[in-house]
Amino acid sequence: MSDPFFQPVSGMDLPRFAGVPTFMRLPHVAPDHARFGEVQIGLIGVPWDSGTTNRPGPRHGPRQLRDLSTMIRAQNGATGVRPFEAVNCADLGDVGPNPADIQDSMARITAFYDQVIAAGILPLTGGGDHLSSLPILRAVAKSGPVGMVHFDSHTDLFHSYFDGTMYTHGTPFRRAVEEGLLDPKRVVQIGIRGTAYDTEDRDFAKAEGIRIIPIEEYFARGPEDVMAEAREIVGTAPTYVSYDIDFVDPTFAPGTGTPEVGGPNSFEALQVARLLDGVNIVGADLVEVSPPFDQSGGTAFLGVSIMFEMLCVMAKAHAAAG
């Protein structure tokens, strides 16, 4: 029997527009909560976008993701998974960033996730811009490099911006490889597209053994075949999943800072997340939802629906492992 404490509030008991919003209407269990150690999968907000180089706004992402997550119900309509019954899930709250200091914010994020990992909790994050992934990986990969399945329209593998600025949302995975957090031969990037400054990022990927699947190849092969290759690349070893909402075509997800046309639709956005089934996920994030560019909340609803799909995969695997 699942623990009633860790069950989300049902829309049959309290209308979805009522109550204090948490991720998927789960209980708020902060690190100082008496039951923190019983959480198995923790949903975390990282309201921070100091790495943004163009249109800011993802610092507001976690709040809108939580609000729209009131539409998430207990059972996955496609797979039948009931994640909240399979494992103890909770909203662990937000990391408190320092919006005036990138390095201090990254230290705060890593320190928060250190507590989460030490408690044996799998983190599922709502960002935040894509630089957020780097300090999270510093905690998740502390014991050794991990693989990564990365959905995005950009590689985020650039060396630097503006003549030497090393920490932006376009550089996190370059830093992660350099710091030994990612095993580049177990990294696959899916959906890459758009105009480019040059080929520096792709040259780095080729030199390090990172597999890039551009959008043209994705559409030519189809999501099932592409995801079969992704699962083969990462294998059964620990793997992080990073999902930038701009992987999705801006027709379906306009609320993001750096949109790129010609991407997957909203069904495919959910489908690729479901096809992570079988991956040994040790953490995941959904980043770059920017509410100022979609005040209707449609992008955030898609984003938190993707989070739910990843949660179902993680919960199924965690329950199977005992």
Side-chain angles (χ1 to χ4, degrees):
M1 292 291 291
S2 55
D3 188 329
F5 175 80
F6 290 105
Q7 294 303 299
V9 178
S10 171
M12 295 293 188
D13 298 326
L14 182 70
R16 300 182 187 281
F17 51 82
V20 177
T22 58
F23 277 120
M24 303 180 196
R25 311 191 93 187
L26 289 163
H28 176 215
V29 180
D32 60 355
H33 193 284
R35 304 197 68 176
F36 181 74
E38 299 175 52
V39 179
Q40 294 168 296
I41 299 179
L43 286 78
I44 304 164
V46 180
W48 183 61
D49 61 7
S50 293
T52 301
T53 58
N54 184 25
R55 303 194 302 177
R59 66 181 60 187
H60 303 292
R63 183 164 293 184
Q64 195 183 47
L65 287 165
R66 283 189 175 94
D67 194 15
L68 272 296
S69 76
T70 60
M71 292 299 295
I72 299 296
R73 300 176 182 87
Q75 180 167 317
N76 189 307
T79 67
V81 174
R82 297 178 67 86
F84 311 118
E85 294 179 5
V87 294
N88 292 342
C89 301
D91 185 334
L92 306 186
D94 283 346
V95 180
N98 178 349
D101 190 319
I102 285 179
Q103 295 298 335
D104 183 46
S105 288
M106 289 198 293
R108 291 173 182 223
I109 294 167
T110 300
F112 187 98
Y113 281 79
D114 280 341
Q115 295 180 76
V116 172
I117 302 302
I121 301 170
L122 291 179
L124 174 57
T125 304
D129 73 28
H130 224 151
L131 184 56
S132 304
S133 301
L134 177 60
I136 296 171
L137 280 167
R138 287 173 175 167
V140 171
K142 190 153 286 186
S143 60
V146 298
M148 182 174 70
V149 181
H150 175 201
F151 302 101
D152 207 324
S153 59
H154 313 101
T155 66
D156 297 346
L157 288 172
F158 281 97
H159 176 267
S160 59
Y161 278 52
F162 305 105
D163 296 323
T165 300
M166 306 295 279
Y167 297 98
T168 79
H169 65 168
T171 67
F173 301 126
R174 180 73 161 257
R175 301 288 87 81
V177 171
E178 293 169 350
E179 294 179 22
L181 306 175
L182 291 176
D183 175 358
K185 293 179 173 53
R186 292 185 53 241
V187 173
V188 56
Q189 300 185 311
I190 302 168
I192 308 304
R193 63 185 186 274
T195 57
Y197 296 112
D198 51 37
T199 63
E200 182 220 325
D201 56 334
R202 296 189 186 223
D203 293 343
F204 176 81
K206 184 176 181 180
E208 295 291 332
I210 294 171
R211 172 71 164 111
I212 292 178
I213 300 177
I215 198 65
E216 294 79 10
E217 181 180 349
Y218 168 88
F219 280 124
R221 294 172 57 189
E224 293 90 347
D225 190 41
V226 165
M227 290 305 298
E229 182 187 355
R231 293 192 299 271
E232 182 179 357
I233 288 170
V234 299
T236 59
T239 299
Y240 191 77
V241 178
S242 192
Y243 200 127
D244 189 322
I245 197 66
D246 71 28
F247 168 76
V248 189
D249 190 271
T251 301
F252 304 93
T256 191
T258 315
E260 300 288 354
V261 298
N265 63 31
S266 56
F267 174 78
E268 292 166 316
L270 301 176
Q271 185 180 21
V272 294
R274 289 176 193 145
L275 290 169
L276 290 164
D277 190 17
V279 175
N280 181 8
I281 300 175
V282 293
D285 64 48
L286 182 286
V287 297
E288 297 286 359
V289 170
S290 187
F293 300 106
D294 186 6
Q295 296 181 26
S296 72
T299 302
F301 182 42
L302 176 58
V304 81
S305 297
I306 293 166
M307 289 179 69
F308 180 72
E309 294 293 344
M310 294 194 290
L311 173 64
C312 288
V313 171
M314 295 165 72
K316 178 183 175 183
H318 199 291

